Amino acid sequence: MTAINDLVSYEAKGTVGVVTVNSPPVNALSQGVRAGILGGIQAGIADDSVSALVLTCAGRTFIAGADITEFGKPPREPSLKEVIDTMEASTKPVVAAIHGTALGGGLETALGCHYRVAVASAKVGLPEVKLGLLPGAGGTQRLPRVVGVPIALDLITSGEHVPAPKAHKLGLIDELIDGDLVAGAIAFAKKIVAEGRPLVKISDQNEKLEEARKNPSLFADFRKANARRFRGFEAPENCIKAIEAAVNLPFPQALARERELFLELLAGEQAKAQQYIFFAERQAAKIPDVPADTPLIDIKSAGVIGAGTMGGGIAMNFLQAGIPVTIVETSQEALDRGIDIIRKNYTATVAKGRLTQEKMDGYMSLLTGTTNLEGVRDADIVIEAIFENMDVKKEVFTKLDRICKQGAILATNTSTLDIDEIGSVTSRPDYVIGLHFFSPANVMKLLEEVRTKKTSATVMATCMALAKKIGKIPVMVRVCDGFVGNRMLAKRTEQAQKLILEGAKIEDVDRVLYDFGFPMGPFAMGDLAGNDVSWRIRQGKGVKSPVADAICELGRFGQKTNAGYYRYEARSRTPIPDPVVEEIIEKVAKEQGVTRRPITDEEILKRCIYPMINEAAKILEEGIATRASDIDVIWVYGYGWPVYRGGPTRYADYIGVEKIYNDLLRFKETLGGEEWTPTPLLEKLAKEGKSFKDL
Ligand code: 3H9
């Protein structure tokens, strides 16, 4: 074996030369890897003892893409294009041998090879769009030549990871390998040589592009059909333009156009924000005082207390991860209703073709329902998801502590209550933790995990690992009212309510936040979630919100009652502004002596967002969140903050902390109110000319 450099080696195995990349953790295409592959391929071409080459990777995966940490730094030779050109031009067949994930530049490298083989568990894809980019090393040119333009458009603008068997059907993978990958790839390479099969250069193939040329409205139709999904994002449009270039220009010119469109995105704020979130998400998985080698509890079964909307959604996550769930309700009727909703959810997914009946049956077979709390006796983790009432929760936890086996984790899905207090009624407060799922719990990615003063490292490490297993993005925070997400949301809600009293229209507040990039504004969101939920929480705390309360007193709970902040036609979810609500607002404004005035979009945006940023600073001061970036992950994955704006603290850094500080002081002067007092941390950052990222 010859070491080409520290990261890549070359070895002739009989008549096949094997180039192996070994650059943990994910064999990303750093300068050293690029140089190593180039050197390895050149060594193989020069090696007279071999007639074919295999490119493979050591460790857990094939190349997972360009090295994202190199973006923004001066480019260093060789470029990935040079590596790919050399492979494609090789006079000996080059075969990519794929395991793990061949993503982004990794798949582009594989598409530069003449053939590709993979183990069945492998996945391939071009996920650059998720980083605010497009495949910039020929991916937008070669993929459509293999799978056709319509499928390439879908794959490149979604960034989907395609399982190897599907990729095989699409022609992306030439052969699936059973058993040892490298041995299988060598055998495949020998077969290519023996059969005298051609050196397939994808860049030369034009058949699939011809098909696309016959359908001139293809791109316009695609843009139209996906306008909602792409709203606000810059990358998908550049991806489409690059694929359009593949269809309309000769390969070299189209490749140059791809490069131009790639560099445009790379220089933009959206790509920076999306890459920031990529790393923030991975950073959030690390808890400073919980060592990486902390022993984990093996979670083989789960209990869920409460079969309401949350309980049912939580249970579904576990079922889908193959973990049996016992769900408990107080009455048979409520239990049947809850299980029926789970079944209906899955049935609807089957009907849409996104789940097989067989899989659904498998999930349902893992679900047991009972009205007896003793049913969770053997569960490794129990998650309580009943309504928000401290006395009731304490009663349930007292019973669970008695019933559940030693070593079982007792979790609560509370979104508001003091979890230290809940844990205090048990004999195992170190095994009590908050697992705050977001509605709909089977869909939303965020899992806000809440450690108490006593939660053990083992329990925290287990719950972080468990979150990943059930497909969630976990962030560990500490106990306070509303934890991180809802505590900041409360600041936005407070301003939204004040704004409509002072003269802004409900639909204007919603529009401004929608245009900022949220999936919907706060009032439409209230109507969707049910305004009665927060009304009940306010009543429990003895807190008033005059307009919100008046609306609920009229039974206007939102979409479910066809009326809330808006009105809704029967069976429609389209919000229609309602003069009745405007009258309520005017009446409350009069009662409170509020003078109404026109309010600009700029004021609406600043008043909704800046108090949240101030609260984020307070949360960091108090140590409730570990890092500013954790707060951003919470907002992106739990509240629909537009990922291309990178989360509230990243956005603050983009605008400038000092500017935000000055605006807070201006609002304090003109509007009054404690909410405008900058928190000491924000003041310190502003005065020192620093950002959240400097913390
Ligand atoms: C691209 O290719 C552009 C080209 O088209 C154009 C070029 C001209 N770079 O996720 P994990 C780190 S754009 C640098 O926890 P998993 C990650 O930060 C790229 N670092 O593991 C983490 O570090 P740490 C297109 C990377 O097993 C560690 O690896 N490719 C990169 O759950 C482990 O990661 C993508 O977008 C990278 N590319 O998942 C793929 N990737 O341990 C991005 C990972 O210090 N990567 N790291 O926290 C992924 O989707 C997942 O990492 C993967 C593994 C599925 C591969």
Side-chain angles (χ1 to χ4, degrees):
M1 190 172 72
T2 314
I4 303 294
N5 60 19
D6 288 352
L7 307 172
V8 181
S9 61
Y10 172 78
E11 186 178 7
K13 293 197 174 176
T15 55
V16 177
V18 178
V19 179
T20 307
V21 181
N22 188 2
S23 179
V26 296
N27 292 311
L29 289 156
S30 61
Q31 189 275 338
V33 169
R34 297 194 303 273
I37 297 176
L38 186 63
I41 295 291
Q42 284 165 341
I45 294 170
D47 183 349
D48 290 337
S49 72
V50 303
S51 49
L53 300 170
V54 164
L55 173 65
T56 188
C57 290
R60 67 203 224 208
T61 180
F62 191 76
I63 302 162
D67 184 344
I68 309 169
T69 59
E70 281 188 356
F71 289 158
K73 296 182 185 156
R76 288 168 66 203
E77 298 291 317
S79 68
L80 185 53
K81 178 179 181 305
E82 189 184 335
V83 177
I84 291 172
D85 286 350
T86 306
M87 289 192 308
E88 206 177 42
S90 160
T91 47
K92 297 175 185 176
V94 184
V95 178
I98 301 170
H99 74 294
T101 44
L103 299 175
L107 179 57
E108 291 175 300
T109 303
L111 289 170
C113 298
H114 305 110
Y115 293 93
R116 286 150 298 283
V117 299
V119 291
S121 58
K123 287 185 176 169
V124 302
L126 294 173
E128 286 88 341
V129 73
K130 294 185 182 162
L131 299 170
L133 296 170
L134 58 81
T140 64
Q141 306 305 305
R142 289 191 177 87
L143 190 72
R145 285 174 157 83
V146 179
V147 302
V149 171
I151 293 174
L153 278 168
D154 269 338
L155 292 182
I156 292 174
T157 60
S158 70
E160 184 189 329
H161 295 187
V162 184
K166 183 176 166 193
H168 183 227
K169 277 193 194 125
L170 289 173
L172 262 176
I173 301 292
D174 298 290
E175 193 167 286
L176 293 174
I177 302 286
D178 251 350
D180 186 78
L181 174 64
V182 176
I186 291 174
F188 180 85
K190 285 183 179 164
K191 189 169 71 181
I192 296 294
V193 175
E195 292 175 4
R197 280 168 56 181
L199 297 174
V200 181
K201 286 189 193 176
I202 295 175
S203 61
D204 279 349
Q205 302 193 328
N206 286 309
E207 229 170 276
K208 297 266 160 107
L209 302 182
E210 279 304 329
E211 282 170 28
R213 287 182 194 122
K214 289 183 201 138
N215 180 1
S217 68
L218 194 153
F219 291 100
D221 293 347
F222 184 77
R223 283 188 173 93
K224 203 164 149 212
N226 292 283
R228 252 180 96 92
R229 189 154 67 90
F230 299 157
R231 181 176 70 92
F233 287 92
E234 289 163 2
E237 176 55 25
N238 277 27
C239 291
I240 300 171
K241 282 183 181 158
I243 302 169
E244 258 176 328
V247 173
N248 297 326
L249 298 174
F251 185 81
Q253 281 93 317
L255 201 63
R257 177 73 178 131
E258 177 198 79
R259 183 80 191 149
E260 193 177 84
L261 291 161
F262 174 80
L263 291 176
E264 190 179 294
L265 292 174
L266 189 65
E269 172 58 19
Q270 291 204 351
K272 292 189 186 92
Q274 288 179 251
Q275 285 156 40
Y276 161 86
I277 285 295
F278 176 85
F279 287 115
E281 187 188 319
R282 279 148 186 88
Q283 192 71 11
K286 296 166 189 136
I287 310 168
D289 59 340
V290 178
D293 59 357
T294 303
L296 303 180
I297 300 165
D298 189 13
I299 304 291
K300 291 194 290 292
S301 63
V304 174
I305 314 300
T309 315
M310 276 322 270
I314 292 169
M316 288 170 79
N317 291 303
F318 285 88
L319 300 176
Q320 285 152 222
I323 300 172
V325 177
T326 301
I327 193 160
V328 187
E329 253 301 346
T330 43
S331 74
Q332 190 64 41
E333 197 194 341
L335 180 66
D336 291 344
R337 200 170 42 233
I339 292 180
D340 204 42
I341 291 174
I342 296 178
R343 189 177 295 110
K344 277 192 181 133
N345 270 330
Y346 282 138
T347 306
T349 318
V350 170
K352 285 182 201 147
R354 293 210 300 258
L355 180 71
T356 63
Q357 185 63 47
E358 194 189 345
K359 269 205 165 148
M360 168 178 162
D361 295 343
Y363 296 161
M364 290 308 290
S365 73
L366 294 175
L367 182 65
T368 310
T370 173
T371 53
N372 185 352
L373 206 55
E374 300 276 342
V376 296
R377 178 188 300 277
D378 296 324
D380 298 303
I381 186 168
V382 177
I383 303 170
E384 162 277 311
I386 58 174
F387 58 94
E388 294 285 82
N389 178 299
M390 181 57 94
D391 292 338
V392 182
K393 295 223 190 226
K394 278 184 173 172
E395 198 187 314
V396 169
F397 270 75
T398 307
K399 285 187 189 155
L400 286 175
D401 186 38
R402 182 176 48 74
I403 292 169
C404 295
K405 66 181 181 191
Q406 275 308 309
I409 299 174
L410 303 184
T412 170
N413 178 51
T414 182
S415 54
T416 51
L417 300 175
D418 181 343
I419 304 172
D420 279 290
E421 195 178 333
I422 296 176
S424 72
V425 300
T426 72
S427 63
R428 54 177 111 182
D430 49 337
Y431 275 66
V432 172
I433 190 167
L435 292 182
H436 181 205
F437 288 81
F438 287 71
S439 187
N442 55 320
V443 177
M444 295 298 287
K445 286 299 233 181
L446 178 66
L447 183 57
E448 199 179 35
E449 302 201 356
V450 192
R451 62 191 287 184
T452 70
K453 292 190 185 84
K454 299 207 169 133
T455 309
S456 76
T458 293
V459 168
M460 284 190 267
T462 301
C463 288
M464 294 301 276
L466 180 64
K468 222 176 163 187
K469 186 159 184 198
I470 61 173
K472 298 291 170 197
I473 295 170
V475 182
M476 186 64 71
V477 304
R478 290 175 195 266
V479 177
C480 69
D481 188 14
F483 314 129
V484 170
N486 283 348
R487 177 169 159 182
M488 287 168 65
L489 181 68
K491 296 291 158 190
R492 190 182 84 174
T493 309
E494 183 182 36
Q495 285 308 309
Q497 290 288 337
K498 286 190 176 178
L499 282 162
I500 56 171
L501 262 192
E502 290 169 35
K505 293 234 175 313
I506 284 181
E507 58 272 27
D508 287 342
V509 175
D510 277 353
R511 175 183 48 79
V512 167
L513 288 166
Y514 178 80
D515 288 348
F516 182 77
F518 282 100
M520 61 184 79
F523 296 107
M525 191 178 95
D527 277 2
L528 175 68
N531 299 311
D532 49 324
V533 179
S534 42
W535 187 37
R536 241 181 270 124
I537 293 174
R538 283 197 301 281
Q539 283 173 328
K541 289 184 182 170
V543 176
K544 293 216 174 313
S545 179
V547 175
D549 294 346
I551 279 170
C552 286
E553 277 153 22
L554 290 174
R556 299 181 68 112
F557 295 158
Q559 287 188 13
K560 59 187 169 191
T561 57
N562 288 335
Y565 287 101
Y566 299 92
R567 67 180 184 83
Y568 299 84
E569 300 287 348
R571 286 180 300 281
S572 162
R573 288 167 171 243
T574 308
I576 304 167
D578 191 343
V580 176
V581 176
E582 198 52 31
E583 276 168 31
I584 295 172
I585 296 170
E586 275 170 22
K587 184 167 161 270
V588 174
K590 203 175 262 171
E591 283 164 9
Q592 302 212 334
V594 176
T595 317
R596 306 194 78 212
R597 62 183 167 95
I599 298 183
T600 63
D601 288 358
E602 186 191 344
E603 182 176 339
I604 291 175
L605 186 66
K606 286 183 174 176
R607 284 183 58 184
C608 286
I609 303 287
Y610 290 5
M612 281 173 45
I613 292 168
N614 199 31
E615 198 63 21
K618 214 175 278 178
I619 283 168
L620 287 167
E621 252 166 28
E622 292 170 14
I624 299 294
T626 306
R627 325 166 174 89
S629 59
D630 286 3
I631 296 176
D632 292 337
V633 173
I634 287 175
W635 269 81
V636 166
Y637 290 111
Y639 296 84
W641 181 284
V643 61
Y644 55 80
R645 292 191 200 274
T649 78
R650 160 86 199 184
Y651 178 69
D653 287 354
Y654 171 68
I655 297 291
V657 173
E658 196 183 347
K659 271 195 191 157
I660 291 172
Y661 171 78
N662 288 333
D663 273 333
L664 289 174
L665 291 181
R666 253 190 301 276
F667 282 129
K668 189 174 170 70
E669 209 176 294
T670 52
L671 302 168
E674 254 328 284
E675 69 261 38
W676 300 112
T677 305
T679 194
L681 177 64
L682 198 84
E683 178 162 16
K684 184 169 176 289
L685 291 178
K687 294 207 162 145
E688 291 175 1
K690 288 192 174 153
S691 310
F692 280 99
K693 76 167 182 336
D694 299 320
L695 290 174

